[in-house]
Amino acid sequence: MVTENYEMALEKERVVLDDLEDLLISVERRLTLTINKINTVGLQRGDAIAFQNAISARAEIKRTLDAAGVIYRDILTDYTIGLAVASLEANQLLPGNFDANPADRIDKALTGVFDQVTHVFGKASDILRRGIIRSSIGGESTSAMISQLQHQMKLTRDYSTTLAVTALHSASRATTVETAEDTEFDFVYVYSGPDDSVTRPFCRFYGFPTGAMSKVAYTRAALKALSRDPNQRKQPGGKAGDVSAYGGGYNCRHNWNAIPMFMAQAEKYTIRGPLDVRALIAKGGSSVIKT
């Protein structure tokens, strides 16, 4: 089931990133045309018409990037919810229905990720519009503005890709935990996935403390306590106060598997609660593993 979820996420990832690429290509072409219409010579001479054209260009940049941010946020949201439903249906230990509103459930679990998408596009808009102001007072060339556009679109592509991959791979984790908590059983959560040379200290320390076959599980409250680990400070789980959706952080390759408490006890898992996690963090947590 872990492999199945991972493969589903990879399939959705390819589609979403293709959509992102198509959107950014279209946006860059449109804004290149907009910038090329700016009369930098006229701006340097103080021509009123040239100045009005520059103001219009600034407005066009904002409209275009704001709209693109909303479009991509909606695309990512739809694919993420679809993946969450599919991962739930594939999990035989959890209920076969998705009673709660999928959008509400996923949006709650992935706090802020979708909003960050529009923020990334908005940041590019602000920087590019300030560039036009610099041109109007400092005589910056159109070619310099085009270079700035290309640089900002690359950053937008990189940031948006990270957010997309994070959201998609968080979908099955979030759905697993949120759905398990709605059942009448007590569940604990087991980290699963690769333990290799690129595994983060956080994932290795808590998920695989004795190697790939580690048998350690966490209560729901412990997943919240894990967000206080030193290596979560710059990760979305640290900001949200909960690692149930985000695992080790941006682009994490691991999953939380839900196991009924009685099964985990029968299979002799070490079950860690919030006090156990806090005790580990007090001694340095995953920061004791040096990269």
Side-chain angles (χ1 to χ4, degrees), residues 251-277:
N251 296 324
C252 182
R253 303 169 298 156
H254 300 99
N255 284 298
W256 289 114
N257 281 1
I259 299 179
M261 176 75 81
F262 72 88
M263 289 179 61
Q265 291 171 332
E267 295 180 20
K268 301 189 183 305
Y269 275 82
T270 297
I271 298 172
R272 292 174 174 172
L275 293 179
D276 302 307
V277 170

Side-chain angles (χ1 to χ4, degrees), residues 13 17 20 72 156-166 251:
E13 179 185 318
L17 295 184
L20 173 64
Y72 192 59
T156 300
R157 180 181 287 101
D158 292 344
Y159 292 152
S160 297
T161 296
T162 295
L163 292 173
V165 172
T166 299
N251 296 324

Side-chain angles (χ1 to χ4, degrees), residues 80-207:
T80 302
I81 292 171
L83 180 60
V85 173
S87 67
L88 177 61
E89 291 172 347
N91 193 325
Q92 298 178 356
L93 290 177
L94 295 175
N97 60 346
F98 205 57
D99 293 331
N101 185 315
D104 289 345
R105 187 183 293 247
I106 296 303
D107 193 45
K108 175 185 175 183
L110 304 184
T111 305
V113 171
F114 301 130
D115 289 339
Q116 284 184 56
V117 172
T118 53
H119 174 73
V120 166
F121 281 81
K123 183 176 181 180
S125 171
D126 291 342
I127 291 173
L128 290 171
R129 287 183 295 129
R130 286 199 299 270
I132 291 178
I133 292 293
R134 285 198 302 273
S135 296
S136 65
I137 61 177
E140 191 172 90
S141 68
T142 301
S143 61
M145 282 189 280
I146 296 297
S147 295
Q148 176 74 295
L149 168 64
Q150 293 169 343
H151 176 67
Q152 286 306 316
M153 294 311 293
K154 181 183 183 305
L155 292 179
T156 300
R157 180 181 287 101
D158 292 344
Y159 292 152
S160 297
T161 296
T162 295
L163 292 173
V165 172
T166 299
L168 289 167
H169 288 271
S170 296
S172 60
R173 287 191 292 263
T175 307
T176 295
V177 174
E178 293 296 320
T179 303
E181 291 303 301
D182 282 346
T183 69
E184 297 178 356
F185 292 93
D186 288 331
F187 278 87
V188 290
Y189 304 94
V190 178
Y191 223 44
S192 62
D195 178 23
D196 52 29
S197 61
V198 296
T199 299
R200 304 181 201 202
F202 177 89
C203 301
R204 177 168 293 121
F205 185 79
Y206 293 108

